[in-house]
Amino acid sequence: MSSAEETIHRPVWDSDEMAARRRKRYAADRRLQRYGVAAITFAIGFLFLLVATLLYTGASAFVQTKARVTIDLSSAEVSADDLMGAPWRNIVRSSLLALEPTEIPRSDRRAYFQMFTSSAPFLVRDHVIANPDLIGKSFEFKIPFSDPLDQFAKGQISRDTPEDRRRVSNQQIGWFDKLQASGVVSKPFNWGLILNPDSRFPELAGLAGAISGSFWALLVCFLISFPVGVAAAIYLEEFAPKNRLTDIIEININNLAAVPSVVFGLLGLAVFLGWFGLPRSAPLVGGMVLSLMTLPTMIIVTRAALRSVPSSIREAALGIGASRHEAILHHMLPLSMPTILTGTIIGLAQALGETAPLLLIGMNAFITSPPEGVFSASTALPTQIYIWADSPERGFVSRTSAAILVLLGFLVLMNGLAVFLRNRFERRW
Amino acid sequence: MMSEAAVEEAVGAKVDSQPPVKMQGRMVCVYYGDSQALYDVNLDIRKNQVTALIGPSGCGKSTFLRCLNRMNDTIDTCQVKGSITLDGGDIYDASVDVVELRARVGMVFQKPNPFPKSIYENIAYGPRIHGLARTKSEFDEIVETSLRKAGLFEEVKDRLTSPGTGLSGGQQQRLCIARAIAVSPEVILMDEPCSALDPIATAKVEELIDELRQNFTIVIVTHSMQQAARVSQRTAMFHLGNLVEEGDTDKMFTNPDDQRTQDYITGRFG
């Protein structure tokens, strides 16, 4: 017995050496924790920087400088029968001239009218067509300033800049100051940013076309990738024999999820446009290309969801004589549906932000009306951002940031919905 | 199809007051991939009796049980050889419809596994997929009688619409038994039905098993010697994939023929 005690070397736990060793181990713990905190701070810092920059440059695009004018339709030149043919240009110009108390010489009128959007006659026309009871009356209407004056009003163009280096002349600044002093200038919320389609003029350009284009493309993407993805996942998970072929299919699906999206764009260009002859720039093709990208994600998510349903449920169903499809459709699939839907929404959110494949199939065209369906040419949110980022006008700089904010808003909304669904309906086993 | 007497003679069983054979396994071998789990098992399941399958873990008793309603079909690598008959007909014959078989040979699992649906839905599901009832009142009747037979009706009659997963473990297991009864099976297989239950719930389920014997043929896998002794009339002892011994429960527990059975029931191994 004593010999055994001799051979066992017992550590001296309270020695200085051991205490120092423990201190070092605790220090390593704390260091690891600090690295983690530093990494998270770094990441959040960059996220904050991104959003702050976007807000700083984009915030001004959410308001639009407008001038309140009185449109007088009491004279008989406008008839309800021919609203399109009425002399809107003259009506608007006389209203605009009426804002300025002093007579503007004919030679200066061109510069004066350039202060306001050149589409003002069409805006007034459309407003009257939408409200026919205005005919024969006098009413107030807010006409957007053109981009240079809008930028000047928002402080983006400084009056200290030499006149030949800015797009606003001293004369225009003089008129603008007088208009401001008379109280007709206002900066209301820019609903046009959401409700207008794209335009060459920044003051009129909006995201309506891009938003509905994205909507149609995502709808097509969902209608293709959801049923196909779920069906493929059910087959692979429940029916497919486990052999070399299904192994190869499985590996391919997993790898497909990592293929660069631009490759899918090229595929869409070659197959959908080239062989099938589908229309260019159409949300239909955009949705088809996006569904190619979403499909692998859908299949992986659905398989994981089906796997997470305990086998005891399947056995319970089979044990009372349910067939395989009944066990799957009545029990497995409903129970995994919340997870599948969450994955679907996240997959669609990913597709919403995808740009490269849409560029290749022409969804970056300049289109001034929202698409009427999946066949009409359209842009999408990310491609609209791409187009605006490429436009030289000053107004598009802030509008690009604003459009990114709108896109981020949709992404946050979709992800929020996914989180909500997960917390609300997902079953923990 | 052999006559009852011929079957008995083939087995070599005494022609006595024993009830007729309901299911019969002959030379049953089961393989999982390359490894063999059961070796030449010959076992009769007699009508309106409780047959207990006992033996140490991994001895193949659950495997044999799952062969009786072809639940092993769901495992890709599983292969069954030999013959298993139900009322004389081979259940592994190509002409046998596995859906019909599982309706006739119901199953209750180790862990209570009610569907995450209402108590009513749990019971009504089987009759619905098999088309056993049409009207609401027919379904109501099946649900009530099934729950009554499972001794659960009085406890849950006021909350038939609440989820079955909200019941206690013992109630859940009796719900699962009611669910199996609802499709009027001829045989009920039970795979360690009480292993997840406390002694009181276990006693209730055992009592229930004894009552169910009137109308059903029951095969139960159990780890508890006392349970086998309490509920069964026949006992089959498995060891390492072999059927060691089978016979009347009374005889098995008092005077077994095989040394291994003797050792197992006295707790020397297992």
Side-chain angles (χ1 to χ4, degrees), chain A residues 238-242 310-324 326-331 334-335 427 429, chain B residues 66 69 71 74 76 98-100 102-103 105-107 109 111-117 122 125-126 129-130 165 179-180 183:
Chain A
E238 301 288 335
F239 291 102
K242 301 277 172 285
S311 58
S312 64
I313 296 292
R314 187 209 327 263
E315 289 192 328
L318 294 177
I320 50 170
S323 61
R324 274 162 106 181
E326 285 167 335
I328 293 164
L329 293 185
H330 297 173
H331 300 285
L335 289 172
R427 181 177 283 274
W429 297 100
Chain B
R66 289 168 151 264
N69 70 342
M71 277 306 271
T74 54
D76 283 335
V98 71
V99 163
E100 184 207 317
R102 291 192 189 134
V105 183
M107 189 156 192
F109 296 85
K111 205 174 136 247
N113 57 353
F115 298 127
K117 297 182 176 185
N122 263 285
Y125 180 71
I129 57 173
H130 292 298
T165 41
R179 181 176 66 189
V183 289

Side-chain angles (χ1 to χ4, degrees), chain B residues 14-257:
Chain B
K14 282 171 284 172
V15 183
D16 56 8
S17 58
Q18 289 283 5
V21 173
K22 182 74 186 169
M23 295 191 83
Q24 188 177 59
R26 281 293 168 271
M27 301 300 281
V28 178
C29 296
V30 178
Y31 304 84
Y32 292 114
D34 292 334
S35 67
Q36 191 167 0
L38 278 184
Y39 298 87
D40 302 334
V41 173
N42 295 307
L43 184 63
D44 291 351
I45 312 292
R46 287 171 187 280
K47 205 173 173 212
N48 295 85
Q49 277 196 341
V50 177
T51 306
L53 311 182
I54 62 169
S57 296
C59 67
K61 54 193 189 306
S62 285
T63 298
F64 182 74
L65 188 79
R66 289 168 151 264
C67 288
L68 296 177
N69 70 342
R70 291 181 56 176
M71 277 306 271
N72 283 335
D73 286 14
T74 54
I75 302 165
D76 283 335
T77 56
C78 182
Q79 229 189 326
V80 179
K81 289 189 177 148
S83 85
I84 299 175
T85 58
L86 171 63
D87 290 339
D90 190 341
I91 62 169
Y92 279 88
D93 194 80
S95 65
V96 168
D97 185 347
V98 71
V99 163
E100 184 207 317
L101 172 70
R102 291 192 189 134
R104 291 174 65 193
V105 183
M107 189 156 192
V108 176
F109 296 85
Q110 185 170 1
K111 205 174 136 247
N113 57 353
F115 298 127
K117 297 182 176 185
S118 71
I119 294 171
Y120 187 97
E121 258 317 298
N122 263 285
I123 313 270
Y125 180 71
R128 180 171 301 128
I129 57 173
H130 292 298
L132 304 182
R134 287 206 160 64
T135 60
K136 175 91 173 71
S137 60
E138 281 175 5
F139 276 112
D140 288 349
E141 198 192 312
I142 288 181
V143 170
E144 185 178 333
T145 50
S146 304
L147 284 171
R148 273 195 198 286
K149 280 187 200 157
L152 191 61
F153 186 71
E154 290 303 321
E155 291 165 60
V156 299
K157 62 181 176 188
D158 300 324
R159 44 175 176 148
L160 289 177
T161 53
S162 58
T165 41
L167 298 173
S168 73
Q171 288 173 324
Q172 284 190 20
Q173 195 60 296
R174 279 181 285 149
L175 177 64
C176 292
I177 294 173
R179 181 176 66 189
I181 294 171
V183 289
S184 309
E186 297 155 35
V187 182
I188 301 176
L189 311 176
M190 297 186 174
D191 190 357
E192 296 180 46
C194 301
S195 66
L197 306 184
D198 67 34
I200 295 169
T202 300
K204 278 195 177 163
V205 172
E206 284 181 6
E207 211 176 296
L208 174 61
I209 290 171
D210 203 46
E211 284 169 24
L212 291 175
R213 187 157 68 86
Q214 312 298 321
N215 300 310
F216 307 94
T217 303
I218 293 171
V219 187
I220 179 171
V221 164
T222 177
H223 265 133
S224 153
M225 295 305 106
Q226 292 88 335
Q227 185 169 60
R230 281 192 300 261
V231 301
S232 72
Q233 286 74 50
R234 302 277 294 182
T235 299
M237 161 78 190
F238 286 76
H239 183 52
L240 298 174
N242 292 296
L243 176 63
V244 171
E245 186 176 0
E246 62 123 355
D248 286 342
T249 301
D250 294 340
K251 180 177 176 295
M252 285 282 281
F253 279 87
T254 50
N255 185 23
D257 291 334

Side-chain angles (χ1 to χ4, degrees), chain A residues 300-350:
Chain A
I300 293 169
V301 164
T302 308
R303 291 188 68 178
L306 285 173
R307 256 198 304 268
S308 74
V309 177
S311 58
S312 64
I313 296 292
R314 187 209 327 263
E315 289 192 328
L318 294 177
I320 50 170
S323 61
R324 274 162 106 181
H325 92 266
E326 285 167 335
I328 293 164
L329 293 185
H330 297 173
H331 300 285
M332 312 279 293
L333 200 57
L335 289 172
S336 48
M337 203 41 98
T339 320
I340 298 175
L341 282 181
T342 309
T344 307
I345 293 171
I346 288 171
L348 288 180
Q350 222 174 0

